[in-house]
């Protein structure tokens, strides 16, 4: 499956406690679960296509 994200797109994660991962305790509001890992990897691979 291929997902196309345009610059400025918003990506939303839904799920349970693994998604939340102390979200409110983190500086960026992403928590410590898989959302910040995905965001970091996206930023490394696609610096020309920023997403929220």
């Amino acid at each position: 499956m291929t997902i196309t994200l345009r610059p400025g797109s918003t990506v939303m994660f839904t799920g349970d406690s693994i998604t939340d991962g102390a979200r409110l305790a983190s500086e960026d509001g992403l928590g410590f679960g898989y959302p910040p890992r995905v965001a970091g990897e996206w930023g490394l691979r696609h610096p020309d296509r920023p997403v929220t």
Side-chain angles (χ1 to χ4, degrees), residues 5 7 9 11 13 15 17 22 36 40 42 50:
L5 296 174
S9 293
V11 179
F13 291 87
S17 60
W42 179 266

Side-chain angles (χ1 to χ4, degrees), residues 20-41:
D20 191 301
R23 178 176 50 85
L24 298 178
S26 67
E27 287 185 31
D28 58 10
L30 292 177
F32 302 101
Y34 64 85
R37 291 175 184 230
V38 172
E41 188 68 27

